[in-house]
Amino acid sequence: MNIIVCIKQVPDTTKVKIDPETNTLVREGVKSIINPFDMYALEEAIRTKEKVGGNISVLTMGPPQAAEALREAIAMGVDDVYLLSDRAFAGADTLATSYTLSKGIEKIEQFDLIICGKQTIDGDTGQVGPEVAQKLGIPVVTYVSKIENIKNGQIKLKRMVEDGYEVIEAETPLLITVVKEINEPRMPSLRGTMKAKKAEIPTWNANDIGAESERAGLSGSPTQVVRIFAPEISKKCEILEGEPTEIAEKLIKKLKKGKVI
Ligand code: FAD
């Protein structure tokens, strides 16, 4: 089974600071890690390979330093890694990111299963997995909490929904996004870490993957961040006194006047 895992390098914090001048994330001084949900995606790929055999390729789109995330994946035990990095990919929204990733996947060519995290801890949209599947013209199953069985191109999955689970049967090729309940990611082995240190990281630019410049990066992004800000935290508090109906009326008046703190 040929498995592709998409991983993203993210800042090691959910409390990202924003530069009010440029409306971009302040990354200085913040350590980078593999997006936590992508660690579960990597682990599931390795467990699947251990059960049914095959090859695992890992793909990331990012700046040159994202190669570190790929080294970590090698240390965990994956076979091949690819860094998609080009100035033309910068400023991508989720549509342009998905386009670029799908072009990278098409270049890898052989795949039965693509595994993504359910979302990232920085962008947080959860859009990239389904968008990649759409671009490749393959089905997608999101929020997968267990791969029950894979045999002869058939896959049985358990997915989390709001009030329970769904069991789904699908055919490969397929893209899944995974939740943290699916497994416990392993620590890299010493041998893996040594291998990762020495590994050459293949880097593909827009030309290498045949990406059209108007569909990648900022020029391929129909959405633009106009303003980004952290909500102001106010500790002002007003206690409404009276009977419940009186309090409700007072509250409604305030809501109508837009005077609720
Ligand atoms: P999600 O959809 O939450 O991620 C789901 C899964 O997809 C991940 O777990 C992972 O498996 C996979 N995945 C996601 N991203 C990658 C990746 N890069 N490589 C490999 N796998 C991946 N960012 C900028 O740097 N500059 C900008 O100008 C910019 N503008 C933006 C404008 C808008 C309106 C939006 C919504 C986002 C913008 N971003 C920008 C952020 C950028 O779009 C996201 O970083 C990127 O598209 C991934 O989206 P996400 O983090 O929400 O991933």
Side-chain angles (χ1 to χ4, degrees), residues 237-256:
C237 165
E238 186 183 341
I239 295 172
L240 302 177
E241 308 273 0
E243 292 300 311
T245 45
E246 259 178 85
I247 295 174
E249 274 165 25
K250 283 181 193 169
L251 183 62
I252 288 165
K253 270 188 201 156
K254 283 182 181 289
L255 282 170
K256 280 186 177 162

Side-chain angles (χ1 to χ4, degrees), residues 100-131:
T100 305
L101 288 175
S102 65
K103 295 303 284 181
I105 291 169
E106 280 171 0
K107 186 166 163 96
I108 295 173
E109 215 175 326
Q110 303 286 334
F111 62 87
D112 303 294
L113 182 65
I114 301 173
I115 313 183
C116 293
K118 82 167 169 107
Q119 68 191 87
T120 61
I121 60 164
D122 60 347
D124 233 355
T125 66
Q127 292 172 1
V128 170
E131 284 179 1

Side-chain angles (χ1 to χ4, degrees), residues 5-10 23-25 27 35-38 41 59-62 84 89-98 101 115-132 176-178 218 221-226:
V5 185
C6 294
I7 65 170
K8 184 183 178 191
Q9 195 182 44
V10 296
N23 279 334
T24 54
L25 304 183
R27 292 183 188 270
N35 175 47
F37 291 104
D38 303 349
L59 196 60
T60 191
M61 182 194 91
L84 305 182
F89 301 153
D93 68 2
T94 60
L95 195 76
T97 301
S98 309
L101 288 175
I115 313 183
C116 293
K118 82 167 169 107
Q119 68 191 87
T120 61
I121 60 164
D122 60 347
D124 233 355
T125 66
Q127 292 172 1
V128 170
E131 284 179 1
V132 168
I176 63 171
T177 74
V178 298
L218 197 58
S221 299
T223 49
Q224 309 274 314
V225 178
V226 178

Side-chain angles (χ1 to χ4, degrees), residues 58 217 219:
V58 178
S219 30

Side-chain angles (χ1 to χ4, degrees), residues 1-226:
M1 159 146 312
N2 290 307
I3 306 170
I4 296 179
V5 185
C6 294
I7 65 170
K8 184 183 178 191
Q9 195 182 44
V10 296
D12 186 13
T13 174
T14 47
K15 296 188 185 84
V16 185
K17 290 203 180 94
I18 295 148
D19 182 331
E21 296 293 313
T22 59
N23 279 334
T24 54
L25 304 183
V26 179
R27 292 183 188 270
E28 285 77 45
V30 184
K31 197 179 142 228
S32 292
I33 54 165
I34 296 177
N35 175 47
F37 291 104
D38 303 349
M39 292 297 286
Y40 300 100
L42 284 170
E43 176 63 31
E44 202 54 29
I46 296 167
R47 288 185 190 199
T48 304
K49 182 186 159 180
E50 284 166 353
K51 277 186 211 142
V52 300
N55 187 82
I56 305 170
S57 302
V58 178
L59 196 60
T60 191
M61 182 194 91
Q65 59 266 32
E68 281 317 303
L70 294 174
R71 284 189 199 284
E72 219 180 300
I74 295 171
M76 278 176 79
V78 308
D79 301 295
D80 303 310
V81 297
Y82 303 96
L83 171 63
L84 305 182
S85 197
D86 192 313
R87 278 182 185 276
F89 301 153
D93 68 2
T94 60
L95 195 76
T97 301
S98 309
Y99 169 72
T100 305
L101 288 175
S102 65
K103 295 303 284 181
I105 291 169
E106 280 171 0
K107 186 166 163 96
I108 295 173
E109 215 175 326
Q110 303 286 334
F111 62 87
D112 303 294
L113 182 65
I114 301 173
I115 313 183
C116 293
K118 82 167 169 107
Q119 68 191 87
T120 61
I121 60 164
D122 60 347
D124 233 355
T125 66
Q127 292 172 1
V128 170
E131 284 179 1
V132 168
Q134 190 271 335
K135 294 208 180 302
L136 295 170
I138 60 170
V140 56
V141 180
T142 51
Y143 304 111
V144 171
S145 61
K146 190 170 184 195
I147 297 181
E148 303 247 3
N149 198 19
I150 304 182
K151 210 174 177 187
N152 304 330
Q154 298 285 325
I155 184 162
K156 194 171 171 189
L157 305 157
K158 197 168 160 193
R159 82 181 279 265
M160 281 177 94
V161 288
E162 215 163 289
D163 48 4
Y165 293 94
E166 281 177 358
V167 175
I168 291 188
E169 284 180 343
E171 283 178 12
T172 57
L174 174 79
L175 186 148
I176 63 171
T177 74
V178 298
V179 293
K180 66 178 169 49
E181 288 72 12
I182 196 163
N183 58 44
E184 189 60 49
R186 70 193 61 194
M187 296 297 288
S189 67
L190 187 62
R191 205 162 143 218
T193 308
M194 298 304 288
K195 188 179 165 198
K197 267 191 186 164
K198 291 187 212 142
E200 287 275 323
I201 307 292
T203 304
W204 289 342
N205 62 23
N207 264 344
D208 295 325
I209 58 171
E212 296 164 38
S213 56
E214 64 276 15
R215 294 186 68 189
L218 197 58
S219 30
S221 299
T223 49
Q224 309 274 314
V225 178
V226 178

